[in-house]
Amino acid sequence: MNRRIVIAELPSGAVAERHFRAETAPLPSPGPGEVLTRTLFASLDPVNRAQMRGRTYRDGLDVGDVMPAFTISALEDGTLVAAEGGWQEHAALPASSLAPIDAGGGPLSHHLGVLGLNGLTAYFGLLDVGRVAAGETVLVSAAAGATGNVAGQLARIHGARVVGLASTDAKRRLLEERLGFDATLDYRSPTLSRDLKGCCPEGVDVYFDNVGGPLLDAVLPRMNVHGRIVCCGTLASYDADAAPPGPRAVPGLLISRRLRMEGFVVVDYADQRATAVRRLTGWVKSGELVVLEEIVNGLDAAPAAFVDLLAGGNVGKRLVRVSA
Amino acid sequence: MNRRIVIAELPSGAVAERHFRAETAPLPSPGPGEVLTRTLFASLDPVNRAQMRGRTYRDGLDVGDVMPAFTISALEDGTLVAAEGGWQEHAALPASSLAPIDAGGGPLSHHLGVLGLNGLTAYFGLLDVGRVAAGETVLVSAAAGATGNVAGQLARIHGARVVGLASTDAKRRLLEERLGFDATLDYRSPTLSRDLKGCCPEGVDVYFDNVGGPLLDAVLPRMNVHGRIVCCGTLASYDADAAPPGPRAVPGLLISRRLRMEGFVVVDYADQRATAVRRLTGWVKSGELVVLEEIVNGLDAAPAAFVDLLAGGNVGKRLVRVSA
């Protein structure tokens, strides 16, 4: 049998545990070109919330669908693969969609975070889109998140001054004391604009933006001439039914400050992935890149952990151990 | 004596003729490092409207100031220079701010338009920021304007399919029949979104945006994956007291479509200016680049011509012949 978590109801507004339902189904039987996989770890990612908006998205979910997730799965012969197995113990997946993983002696879970989509997103976003240079100031939103914390650390490794935006004192302390951020800010501060000015006295050269929304509005006036805004995520609107108003400084300030604002997705960098994983692995092994990871146990814990993730409860990468 | 036009009143809302006043003043006397120049042509540019917002801009204007303008001026020895002489017959200007012009046998006025800031802006915006490639679709707003018409023609010269947004049937006919645009649209059409879809059936690869505002909102959903938005101007807001709301698709759509949105100013390309002027001159001489120019006679005609320019009355470059 196959334990799995499906959508019980499409949320409007904030996602809640009642939008999910656990059930037990027969073991899936692979169709032509498919193989049976066993889920070891399932990644919890805010972007999966967007898929719950239903028909607005082409690959939108419907009630009864298994909740999607990137997974580390095992084939029947034990081969480890990166997959999109979802919140279930077993999945029948197209063989062509699976990428073998060489755990290389390190923790398998890292391949869903720092060496997986989050780490690669931080890497290509900061280095290829952001083109960070030593001595520049890099500002990171959702800096204690799975991608943000790696982006900030990579900026530090490349000689930049790093300022992180986070929501709690505990997160801010962690960023400054364990991850080497030069300064942090509470993005909900009523004096945010002034705080940004104080923390970035020489302006911001690269804004690694995981959030969008009003925070982007507040950051734009702090951007230096020829600054770059790395558009990585829109956490501010994942739980909203409509996109928030756009930033008023666009496009006027982009012109006067010669700013570049650029979106990207990591799948476009498939040809450089191996190099990136090798470099990230090196920094993890040397201790320059600290790994922040939260592992919750068992599929039944996934809904609550996901709801809390969207409310900003996570520190670093949060994932679910589905089976040993 | 020096005939000149000064600001009579800082406008709120649309600029009008009553905001200017003609006066006669003594001939300016050059200070240290300055020289006396005689104005031949004065350029009319929407961006000068922004300077009339007063204290919001660092170099904002005040009542009594001479209206600023780029000019073609002559030194006392007859040397021709590009200057910022403003709306006056004579100006005392820092010698270091003047750039000699080699008219090279062509019309002097071209050096304020197609071979001046407008042509260079179109050139660097389309080629360096927009990175247009043959076979791509380029959409240009304010396509009958001084910069837009050159951007569209350069896109055609580089093998792109060119679609122009303009406000009147006469402008649209001109763009299609004389300038070789593949299609044109009325940006005020109540069915704009559908019209855009119809005119750009394969989507838009480069949007050369002179306007910003709600038009940018309408264009964004038509952008192709890896499309580029060249942020060149914000005509939509020059006559407004506050910036219009920002585009809602920013930053979400920038991510899902991997779009790049980038502002630029032509002064950053000083080192490539000579090459650009040479290439533009070549296209003008070969007839590939059609020059659209409207010359009004005499300083006293400048206010009405400028007010009408901001209302979109111009076709191509509009300038004032100040003295022979």
Side-chain angles (χ1 to χ4, degrees), chain A residues 243 248 258-259 261 263 268, chain B residues 226 243 248 258-259 261 263 268:
Chain A
R248 271 187 193 269
R258 296 88 123 176
L259 303 178
M261 205 167 176
D268 288 343
Chain B
H226 288 128
R248 271 185 194 270
R258 297 86 127 173
L259 303 178
M261 207 168 174
D268 288 342

Side-chain angles (χ1 to χ4, degrees), chain A residues 84-96:
Chain A
E84 295 191 45
W87 292 6
Q88 54 185 340
E89 291 172 336
H90 297 274
L93 300 170
S96 62

Side-chain angles (χ1 to χ4, degrees), chain B residues 41-45 48 51 66-71 83-87 112:
Chain B
F41 289 100
S43 177
L44 299 183
D45 295 290
N48 298 134
Q51 296 173 273
V66 173
M67 183 64 183
F70 296 105
T71 58
E84 294 190 46
W87 293 9
L112 281 182

Side-chain angles (χ1 to χ4, degrees), chain A residues 144-319:
Chain A
T147 300
N149 90 82
V150 181
Q153 293 189 78
L154 290 179
R156 182 218 336 115
I157 289 170
H158 284 81
R161 184 168 181 278
V162 190
V163 179
L165 290 150
S167 56
T168 67
D169 287 348
K171 287 180 182 177
R172 292 176 56 192
R173 253 196 320 274
L174 179 79
L175 294 175
E176 294 184 15
E177 295 173 6
R178 277 194 55 207
L179 267 54
F181 279 61
D182 294 285
T184 59
L185 284 167
D186 182 343
Y187 72 89
R188 296 169 309 189
S189 162
T191 58
L192 179 64
S193 286
R194 204 192 316 149
D195 299 351
L196 279 167
K197 222 167 184 164
C199 271
C200 308
E202 296 179 29
V204 176
D205 299 295
V206 177
Y207 177 38
F208 193 104
D209 184 14
N210 292 301
V211 171
L215 187 52
L216 175 56
D217 269 299
V219 170
L220 274 161
R222 300 271 68 77
M223 295 301 297
N224 286 333
V225 166
H226 289 127
R228 292 130 269 157
I229 295 157
V230 180
C231 301
C232 181
T234 55
L235 284 174
S237 58
Y238 284 145
D239 246 350
D241 288 321
R248 271 187 193 269
V250 173
L253 195 77
L254 300 193
I255 302 172
S256 56
R257 301 266 176 90
R258 296 88 123 176
L259 303 178
R260 173 162 56 87
M261 205 167 176
E262 189 166 352
F264 73 107
V265 294
V266 80
V267 292
D268 288 343
Y269 292 93
D271 59 330
Q272 300 170 56
R273 183 189 171 113
T275 305
V277 171
R278 195 178 60 242
R279 295 186 74 197
L280 288 163
T281 302
W283 289 314
V284 170
K285 284 192 176 160
S286 71
E288 286 171 283
L289 182 49
V290 176
V291 179
L292 291 187
E293 210 175 56
E294 296 174 335
I295 301 181
V296 301
N297 278 308
L299 268 182
D300 291 339
F306 184 67
V307 168
D308 181 63
L309 175 89
L310 278 162
N314 63 306
V315 174
K317 181 68 193 179
R318 181 174 286 184
L319 60 164

